[in-house]
Amino acid sequence: MALHFIKKAGPGLMLSLWSLVAHAEFSWNFPKPVTPMAVDTLHVHNKFMVIILAIFIIVLGIMIYSIINHRKSKGYQAATFTGPSTRSQLIWTMVPFAILIYIDFVLMGIPAYHSVVLMEDTKNGADMVLKVTGMQWRWQYEYMDGDAKGIKFVSNLATPEDQIHNKAAKGEHYLLETDNHVVLPVNKKVRILLTSNDVIHTWWVPQFGSARDAIPGFLRETWVKIEEPGTYRGQCKELCGKGHGFMPIVVDAVPEDKYKEWVAAKKTDLAAASAGADKAWSKDDLIAHGKEVYEKNCAVCHQSNGQGLPPTFPALAGSKVINGPIFDTSGKLIANSHLDRVFNGKNVMPAWKAVLNDVDIAAVVTFERNSFGNTLGDAVQPAQVKALR
Amino acid sequence: MLSAQPNRNDANRRLALKLLWVVGAAILFTLSLVPLYRVFCQVTGLNGKTDVRPVAVQKSLKVDESRWVTVEFTGNVMPGLGWNFTPNQSSMRVHPGQIELATYEARNNTNQAAVGQAVPSVSPGQASLYFKKIECFCFQRQSLKPGERKEMPVRFYVSPELPADIQNVTLSYAFYSTASATN
Amino acid sequence: MSTATTVLHDEHHAHYQPGIMRWLTTTNHKDIGTMYLTFALIMFMVGGAMILAVRAELFQPGLQFLKPEFFNQLIGIHALVMIFAALMPAATGFANWMLPLMIGAPDMALPRLNNWGFWLLPPAAILLTLPFTLALFGIGDGALATGWTFYAPLSVQGGIGVDFAIFAVHLLGISSVMGSINIIVTIFNMRAPGMTMMKLPLFAWGWLITAFLLIATIPVLAGAVTMLLTDRHFGTHFFNAAGGGDPILFQHLFWFFGHPEVYILLLPVWGFIPHILSAFSRKPIYGYKAQVYSFWAIGILSVVVWAHHFLTAGMPVPALLYFMYSTMSISVPLAVLFFCWIATMWKGSMSFETPMLFATGWIILFGIGGLTGLVLADVAADAQYHHTYFVVAHFHYTLFAGGMMGIMAGVYYWLPKMTGHMYNETLGKLHFWLTAIAFNITFIPQFFLGLAGMPRRIPDYALQFAEFNMISSIGAFILGLSQLIMVYNIVSCVRGGKKATDKPWEGAQGLEWTLPSPPPYHSFTEQPVVE
C-alpha cells in the first residue's frame, strides 16, 4: 500500500512543488567563490556531495529492491540462513567498515587535509592587515598598515527600520547593506585579525570561504585574497543577542588604483571630520546631527523614543546618568557621568570612543540631554570630547 | 514474590553506590578540566594566550640575523574602563632572538583613579609559544590617576625556534577594568 | 530464544493509592514509564508550538509577529524542551516500560529513585518556561535568549532567564543521572536467569551505553553551567578573559557533554529499531554482535570529537586535523549499523504496518542526517556550513528523523502491548506519510538555504532566501499539525479499541511478548528463564 501511494501521489506532488519552485530564482549551491580558499572549499564540497549522494543512492537502491521484492504480500518467505549472530555475519559487516575507512581517510580525507592547510595559511606573505572588531551589533574596521594605516570606521546596518517592519517596500540588498563598506584591493593577500568588545561574533562572507570567530579578549586571524572586483556581502553567524540578524558585512573589492583613490578620499574625510571638532557648534546643529547619530547607533537598544528595553537597556528618558553633570569644576570628565558612559562604555554599553568621532559623540550626548523629556539645556562641544582623546 | 529479593536489593544498592562514585569522579574530572585546559593551552598555544609571568633570558639565546619577523601591535579598551590606550608603534621588523622594546600609551580620561588589567593575546595561536616577554605592563595591574598619561613598555623577543612558516605575529592587549572584573 | 513463563492474572494484587496520589507515589515501572511518555508527548507539543511561532515569523522577510529578543528565546527553549523534555524522557519512558519486560525483571532495580527521577522533570520544565510568563508581568526580560548552547559571554550578559535555565538544567541532569543509574543496575542485576550480556535485547544494549555516557558527561554540563552561574553572580572568571579565563573553555566544556548527548538521544533508538525491523521482516536481527560492538565504538568516539562544533573558533592545524579525522571515523561504526539494519530486512518477509513504515523511513532520513554529518566534519567546508541552515537541516535529520521518528516507530510498535488495544492503522499510516513528506518539505529547503549563506538563529533574512523559507514554513505547519493525528490515535488507543493479543506482531521476538497485553501491574511474578 505504501509503495502504491508513492507511485500514485509522488509525481503529482513533485509537479505541484516544482511549479511553486520554478517561478523563483533559487540558488542550489555556494555563491560564486572569489578567493582561492572559497574555490577550494567549493571543489571539496562538490566532490563530497557527489560521494555522499552515491552512497545514498546505492544504499537506498538496495533497500528499495529489498522492499519491493522481499514482501509478505508477494508471498516471499523469510530466509532462514541467518542465525542471530554467526561468523559470516561478522565478516560481512567488515565490508561497510572497510569501505568507510577508505572514504574517510583517502577519498575524502586527503583533499580535506589540503584544504585545512590552505585555510590556515595566514602566517606569511600578507600584503596588508585589516583588524575587525565585532560589537553588539556592528563591525568596526581598522587598517593596520600601508597607505591606509589609521583609517578606522564602524559599519552599521543601513536598511531602514520601515523596511524591517514592513512599512516600506524592501530594497534590493535588504539587511545586507551597510553605511560604510570595507574596501579592499583585489589580488592582495589580506590578513584579517579578529577580536570583539563584548560577546562572540563570527565574521563571514560566503564568497570568501572564510569564517572566523571574534572572541572578546582574544585575537584570531584568517585571510582573504579576492581575485575578482565586486561587492561581497556577508553576515555575523554566531548568535550575539537581539541584533544578531542585523549586523551585515559588505566588502568592496576594487583594483589597486581605485583602492588608492579610496584611501586618499577616506583620509580626507576623516581629516575633515576631525577638523569639525575644532570649531564651535551651535546647540541646534549638535541636536540635529545627534538625532541622526542616535537613530543609527543607539536606537536599536534605547529605542527611538528613548524608553529603552529595561532591564538590559535602560530608558534614557528621565535617566539619572543623563540628568547629572558631565565635567567637574576642574574640567575633568566625571566618572560614571553621561559622557563617560557614552565615551567609555560599561558592561553591555559599548565604548563609543573607538567607533564614533568627536563631533558624533558630542552631538549625540547633546541630543540625549535635550530629548525624550530630558531638559538639561546644555551642550557638549566636540572640542571637549577631542580633549579626552 | 521472589525469594532472592533481599539479596538482590542489597546488590542493587551496592551497584548504585558504585555508580555514584563514577558520577563523583566525573564531577572531579569536570573541575580538573579548568586547570587542564589552561595547561593544555600553554603547551600547545591552543587559544593564543601568552605567559603572564616574565621569562628569564637564557645565556644561550642567539640572534638569528638571517630571518625577519614582523610583529604588529594593537589594543582594545573594554567597555567600562575610562582609558585611552594605543600602541606607539603599529609594527616592528625584528630578528628572532633579538630583545626589543615596544611601548603603548595609556591615559585616564576621567576624574577618577582607576585600575586596569591588560590581557595579552597573540595570533596566530601557535606563535604565542614563541613570543617571550621579559617585562610587560600586563604582568601587573596598572593604575592611573585622574587625567594621568603613562607609557607602558613591553620588552620581548621572538624565540628563534618560531616555526619557519610564521612571518607575521600580532600582539594584542585587551584592557579590562578590574573594578568591573570583580563586581 | 524460548521462555518458560507462568503469569498470574493478578489485577487484585495491584494495590495502589487512588487518584493523583497513585502517580505521585508510584514506584511501579509501568506507571513511571507512562508518566515519562505522557510528559514527553506534552512537551513535544509545547516545543513544537514554539518553533511554529518561529516558522510563522520566518514565513516572509521582515519582522511580522515576534521581536528579535523573543525570537531568540523561542529557538533556545525549543531546543532545550525538545532535547531534555521530549526526546530524553521519551527514551527513558520506553526504558522504564519495556526494559523490565524485555529482560524478564519484576520491576526496575531502584523503584523509589525512579519515582524521584521523574518528578524532577515537571519543575524543570516549569523553570525553563516560567520566565516567558514572568516577563508578561514585567519581571525579568524573558527566557534564556542564547540558544540552547548557553555560550559565554552572551549568557553572562543575559537576564534571569539564564539563571532559570541553569537550574532547569541542573534538575534535568540529576533526573537523567538517577534514571541512568537505575537502568544500569537493572540491566546488570535484574536479568532473567540465562540471559547473558550477549543475549540482551539490543534496546538494552543501546540504553546501557546511553546510561554510561549520561553519568560520565552530565556532570560536565552541570559543572559548566554552574561555573557560568558563579561567573554571573559571584565574580569568578572562568569564561572571562579579564580574570584569566577563556570564553572558548565554555564551548569545550559544553560540547564535551553536547556531542555525546547526540548519541545519548540516538542510541536507545538504534537499540529498538532493529527489533522492529526484525519483527516486520519476520527474520532475526542481523549482525547482533557487530551492532553491539558498533554501539561501544560510537559511545567511545563520541567523547573525543567535541570540538567539531566550534571549528571556526580558531585552533592550530594539528587540532583541526585531529577533530576532523576523529569525527569522520564515527561514520565507520555507523556504516556497520546501517548495513545491519538493511541486512535484517534483506530477504525477509516484510509487511508494512505503521511501526515498520516509520522504521524504514527512519533509515532513509537518518541516513541523510548521517551523510551530511560526514561532510560537516571537513574543516574547510565546515567554515561555510557552520552556523547556517545547512547545520539546522542536518541536525533535524538526525534528531527529528533519527530521534523523534524513531520514537514514533517505538510508540506504534509497543502501544498495543502497553494499552492492550490496537491503534487505528489507517490513521497511523496517514501520520507516517504526512510526517515523512512534511518533514522533507520543511528541511530540504534548509539545506539549500544554508549553502546559499543564510545564518541560523536570525529573525529576519535577506530577500534571496525568501522562497525557500516560505516552503520550509509551509512544511513545518503541515508537520506540526499532522502530529495531532498521533496524539488522537494514542489517546483513542488508550481509551479503547480492538483488543490486542499478547503478540500482535507476527514476527516479534522477545520476552515482552510472552506477557498479556496489557501486562499485569506486577510484570513477572515468576521469573522467566532464557535458554
Side-chain angles (χ1 to χ4, degrees):
Chain A
M1 189 223 132
L3 209 81
H4 194 61
F5 180 86
I6 295 186
K7 272 186 195 148
K8 258 174 97 177
L13 207 93
M14 287 306 285
L15 213 74
S16 57
L17 252 179
W18 182 247
S19 64
L20 181 73
V21 160
H23 293 291
E25 229 179 273
F26 286 92
S27 101
W28 302 99
N29 209 339
F30 290 153
K32 187 170 181 290
V34 293
T35 64
M37 199 200 297
V39 169
D40 178 73
T41 305
L42 179 65
H43 287 165
V44 167
H45 162 76
N46 284 342
K47 186 173 178 191
F48 286 7
M49 283 297 152
V50 171
I51 294 171
I52 63 168
L53 257 175
I55 301 176
F56 183 68
I57 288 167
I58 292 167
V59 173
L60 190 71
I62 295 171
M63 196 171 136
I64 286 177
Y65 174 86
S66 177
I67 289 174
I68 291 171
N69 292 296
H70 307 150
R71 297 164 77 85
K72 197 193 175 198
S73 55
K74 282 196 167 178
Y76 194 89
Q77 292 294 312
T80 48
F81 63 89
T82 47
S85 177
T86 61
R87 186 176 292 269
S88 82
Q89 286 185 6
L90 266 180
I91 292 165
W92 266 106
T93 51
M94 293 315 286
V95 175
F97 191 89
I99 293 175
L100 259 291
I101 294 265
Y102 173 74
I103 290 173
D104 285 355
F105 296 103
V106 181
L107 204 56
M108 290 170 85
I110 291 172
Y113 172 83
H114 289 293
S115 26
V116 173
V117 172
L118 179 69
M119 190 172 101
E120 294 301 314
D121 181 26
T122 56
K123 303 171 201 89
N124 55 49
D127 297 307
M128 62 179 279
V129 183
L130 175 72
K131 182 180 172 191
V132 181
T133 307
M135 53 192 287
Q136 288 168 321
W137 292 280
R138 47 186 60 79
W139 297 98
Q140 189 191 324
Y141 298 95
E142 184 182 346
Y143 289 73
M144 299 272 292
D145 55 3
D147 294 343
K149 188 172 143 187
I151 294 183
K152 203 173 166 182
F153 57 85
V154 64
S155 179
N156 287 299
L157 175 72
T159 303
E161 280 282 299
D162 281 355
Q163 292 189 12
I164 296 172
H165 291 105
N166 307 308
K167 286 173 197 146
K170 296 186 177 17
E172 192 195 349
H173 298 299
Y174 177 67
L175 294 186
L176 294 179
E177 188 56 88
T178 61
D179 54 356
N180 289 311
H181 293 189
V182 185
V183 178
L184 293 176
V186 291
N187 293 319
K188 294 274 180 205
K189 182 167 176 177
V190 184
R191 208 160 128 248
I192 297 177
L193 302 173
L194 289 143
T195 188
S196 163
N197 275 343
D198 35 48
V199 302
I200 300 172
H201 305 271
T202 304
W203 196 84
W204 180 48
V205 178
Q207 286 171 277
F208 297 168
S210 63
R212 185 75 3 133
D213 291 4
I215 302 163
F218 289 87
L219 198 64
R220 291 288 189 266
E221 61 183 38
T222 183
W223 66 282
V224 299
K225 186 179 175 187
I226 308 165
E227 288 171 330
E228 212 171 297
T231 301
Y232 305 107
R233 293 164 201 277
Q235 283 176 276
C236 172
K237 67 169 176 171
E238 176 69 67
L239 180 60
C240 54
K242 76 188 189 72
H244 167 52
F246 307 94
M247 50 184 290
I249 297 150
V250 183
V251 178
D252 286 336
V254 295
E256 180 81 40
D257 49 335
K258 286 260 179 60
Y259 173 71
K260 289 211 164 107
E261 280 169 31
W262 174 82
V263 168
K266 194 78 185 172
K267 288 209 144 167
T268 320
D269 281 359
L270 291 174
S274 97
D278 295 331
K279 70 165 192 164
W281 286 59
S282 80
K283 196 172 94 183
D284 291 342
D285 287 349
L286 284 170
I287 291 176
H289 181 62
K291 188 172 165 53
E292 282 171 36
V293 177
Y294 182 86
E295 286 299 333
K296 204 182 263 177
N297 298 290
C298 318
V300 187
C301 301
H302 296 292
Q303 307 294 295
S304 294
N305 59 10
Q307 291 302 319
L309 293 167
T312 317
F313 307 113
L316 302 184
S319 150
K320 262 192 206 148
V321 172
I322 290 183
N323 289 282
I326 288 181
F327 295 103
D328 65 12
T329 46
S330 63
K332 285 207 176 78
L333 178 66
I334 297 172
N336 292 314
S337 65
H338 183 192
L339 181 56
D340 178 37
R341 196 54 55 83
V342 173
F343 195 69
N344 292 318
K346 187 162 195 180
N347 300 333
V348 188
M349 176 75 173
W352 293 98
K353 64 189 167 198
V355 173
L356 298 179
N357 63 35
D358 304 333
V359 177
D360 289 346
I361 291 178
V364 79
V365 168
T366 307
F367 167 73
E368 288 169 358
R369 296 174 82 74
N370 296 288
S371 308
F372 321 126
N374 299 329
T375 51
L376 282 118
D378 59 355
V380 174
Q381 283 300 326
Q384 288 174 293
V385 178
K386 194 178 181 187
L388 295 174
R389 302 258 183 196
Chain B
M1 281 286 159
L2 299 160
S3 55
Q5 200 159 37
N7 282 336
R8 183 129 86 175
N9 279 348
D10 280 353
N12 289 348
R13 218 162 289 148
R14 272 200 305 276
L15 183 54
L17 279 175
K18 272 184 207 155
L19 290 168
L20 269 181
W21 280 108
V22 178
V23 177
I27 293 170
L28 277 181
F29 171 68
T30 310
L31 295 176
S32 70
L33 282 175
V34 178
L36 270 178
Y37 178 73
R38 197 164 296 166
V39 171
F40 190 75
C41 288
Q42 269 164 15
V43 175
T44 62
L46 185 70
N47 65 356
K49 208 186 251 179
T50 56
D51 282 332
V52 287
R53 266 184 292 275
V55 290
V57 185
Q58 275 152 357
K59 284 236 173 73
S60 60
L61 182 67
K62 280 213 182 74
V63 179
D64 180 357
E65 287 189 343
S66 65
R67 205 176 147 196
W68 286 105
V69 174
T70 306
V71 181
E72 284 127 7
F73 302 88
T74 177
N76 287 40
V77 185
M78 302 308 265
L81 183 62
W83 293 7
N84 308 333
F85 176 68
T86 42
N88 288 328
Q89 62 293 302
S90 68
S91 72
M92 260 183 195
R93 289 186 79 209
V94 302
H95 289 302
Q98 182 80 53
I99 295 169
E100 300 278 353
L101 177 74
T103 56
Y104 282 70
E105 187 184 85
R107 181 199 169 195
N108 184 347
N109 59 38
T110 72
N111 72 343
Q112 210 170 66
V115 181
Q117 170 72 54
V119 176
S121 178
V122 164
S123 191
Q126 299 95 301
S128 65
L129 299 176
Y130 307 95
F131 194 92
K132 307 288 185 188
K133 295 194 289 296
I134 297 161
E135 180 196 338
C136 178
F137 58 92
C138 61
F139 293 153
Q140 299 96 27
R141 293 179 174 188
Q142 298 290 328
S143 68
L144 287 183
K145 292 194 257 314
E148 185 186 352
R149 267 176 213 276
K150 202 189 222 175
E151 193 150 279
M152 298 196 168
V154 49
R155 197 179 293 277
F156 68 95
Y157 67 91
V158 175
S159 159
E161 285 144 36
L162 183 78
D165 64 334
I166 302 180
Q167 288 178 0
N168 290 70
V169 176
T170 310
L171 173 67
S172 168
Y173 290 98
F175 236 118
Y176 285 87
S177 156
T178 51
S180 85
T182 51
N183 75 356
Chain C
M1 75 192 76
S2 72
T3 54
T5 326
T6 329
V7 178
L8 291 172
H9 287 273
D10 64 343
E11 302 297 308
H12 55 282
H13 284 189
H15 42 80
Y16 41 73
Q17 289 167 283
I20 182 77
M21 285 313 285
R22 167 182 174 188
W23 302 101
L24 281 173
T25 59
T26 185
T27 55
N28 179 282
H29 73 97
K30 294 190 209 75
D31 282 356
I32 292 172
T34 304
M35 289 196 295
Y36 265 111
L37 288 167
T38 314
F39 177 79
L41 183 63
I42 293 169
M43 294 316 284
F44 175 54
M45 302 317 276
V46 171
M50 287 178 188
I51 211 62
L52 287 187
V54 165
R55 277 318 322 173
E57 174 59 53
L58 292 174
F59 184 68
Q60 282 183 335
L63 293 178
Q64 280 78 232
F65 314 109
L66 308 177
K67 286 185 173 165
E69 52 271 36
F70 186 53
F71 179 95
N72 289 348
Q73 296 168 23
L74 284 179
I75 52 170
I77 301 295
H78 159 75
L80 285 171
V81 163
M82 285 304 196
I83 292 167
F84 287 98
L87 264 176
M88 284 172 75
T92 317
F94 281 148
N96 269 295
W97 240 105
M98 287 299 156
L99 267 185
L101 305 187
M102 292 170 95
I103 65 171
D107 202 313
M108 295 296 279
L110 307 159
R112 212 163 296 277
L113 192 73
N114 207 3
N115 175 289
W116 299 336
F118 172 77
W119 282 109
L120 286 176
L121 290 182
I126 290 167
L127 279 180
L128 274 182
T129 47
L130 190 65
F132 285 125
T133 326
L134 288 181
L136 293 180
F137 296 103
I139 307 169
D141 46 5
L144 175 83
T146 65
W148 79 289
T149 49
F150 288 92
Y151 278 7
L154 186 62
S155 53
V156 176
Q157 204 183 66
I160 57 163
V162 181
D163 301 317
F164 274 78
I166 289 172
F167 287 120
V169 164
H170 279 144
L171 290 183
L172 294 162
I174 295 169
S175 162
S176 303
V177 168
M178 284 176 161
S180 304
I181 289 179
N182 203 356
I183 285 166
I184 295 173
V185 176
T186 306
I187 293 174
F188 278 172
N189 285 3
M190 307 285 282
R191 299 190 308 275
M195 182 172 279
T196 58
M197 287 305 271
M198 286 318 270
K199 278 185 185 164
L200 270 185
L202 274 178
F203 179 54
W205 265 117
W207 243 114
L208 187 64
I209 289 156
T210 293
F212 274 115
L213 284 177
L214 273 169
I215 62 173
T217 59
I218 285 275
V220 179
L221 173 69
V225 296
T226 308
M227 289 178 213
L228 190 59
L229 193 73
T230 63
D231 266 17
R232 280 170 61 77
H233 299 295
F234 305 111
T236 56
H237 297 99
F238 291 109
F239 311 126
N240 183 352
D246 181 352
I248 301 302
L249 171 63
F250 183 83
Q251 303 188 7
H252 281 283
L253 294 176
F254 184 87
W255 289 111
F256 187 82
F257 150 82
H259 195 77
E261 173 68 15
V262 175
Y263 298 99
I264 286 166
L265 297 169
L266 293 176
L267 273 163
V269 179
W270 297 346
F272 63 71
I273 289 285
H275 295 296
I276 298 175
L277 293 172
S278 143
F280 294 92
S281 308
R282 295 165 181 79
K283 201 168 140 272
I285 290 172
Y286 189 92
Y288 173 89
K289 275 188 186 160
Q291 292 196 51
V292 173
Y293 299 152
S294 297
F295 286 0
W296 276 109
I298 290 169
I300 292 163
L301 281 173
S302 74
V303 290
V304 298
V305 297
W306 70 92
H308 68 224
H309 291 269
F310 49 98
L311 291 172
T312 60
M315 270 173 243
V317 173
L320 291 173
L321 290 174
Y322 163 73
F323 284 111
M324 176 171 81
Y325 287 123
S326 58
T327 304
M328 283 182 166
S329 313
I330 296 186
S331 68
V332 177
L334 206 50
V336 172
L337 287 179
F338 271 96
F339 175 80
C340 291
W341 297 329
I342 292 170
T344 303
M345 298 165 77
W346 185 254
K347 290 198 171 175
S349 175
M350 278 186 269
S351 59
F352 287 88
E353 286 86 351
T354 311
M356 184 63 166
L357 280 180
F358 269 99
T360 325
W362 176 88
I363 295 181
I364 299 171
L365 298 178
F366 177 55
I368 297 176
L371 288 169
T372 48
L374 187 56
V375 295
L376 272 161
D378 171 39
V379 172
D382 180 74
Q384 292 289 67
Y385 306 137
H386 182 67
H387 275 336
T388 69
Y389 264 84
F390 188 88
V391 173
V392 176
H394 156 74
F395 68 69
H396 280 94
Y397 271 88
T398 56
L399 294 183
F400 186 90
M404 210 48 104
M405 285 178 71
I407 296 282
M408 288 169 189
V411 166
Y412 287 109
Y413 181 58
W414 281 321
L415 208 49
K417 174 56 64 186
M418 293 176 181
T419 61
H421 305 124
M422 295 306 287
Y423 58 86
N424 183 325
E425 193 64 57
T426 317
L427 283 184
K429 282 181 177 158
L430 182 69
H431 174 224
F432 168 75
W433 285 110
L434 282 172
T435 302
I437 292 166
F439 173 78
N440 283 300
I441 298 176
T442 312
F443 290 103
I444 287 177
Q446 295 190 4
F447 279 124
F448 296 113
L449 280 174
L451 295 183
M454 179 171 166
R456 65 190 283 208
R457 293 170 167 166
I458 56 173
D460 193 5
Y461 48 82
L463 299 179
Q464 71 258 37
F465 305 130
E467 285 82 10
F468 275 137
N469 267 299
M470 190 175 277
I471 299 172
S472 181
S473 286
I474 294 170
F477 273 88
I478 303 173
L479 183 61
L481 292 176
S482 33
Q483 302 319 308
L484 297 175
I485 302 174
M486 175 179 71
V487 177
Y488 172 80
N489 212 349
I490 293 174
V491 171
S492 47
C493 180
V494 170
R495 301 176 71 173
K498 206 179 95 196
K499 204 83 193 91
T501 57
D502 291 2
K503 193 173 117 175
W505 314 121
E506 190 191 339
Q509 292 181 356
L511 287 177
E512 74 265 39
W513 308 107
T514 62
L515 289 169
S517 301
Y521 197 66
H522 297 295
S523 312
F524 291 101
T525 37
E526 193 129 318
Q527 200 156 31
V529 177
V530 181
E531 283 165 13

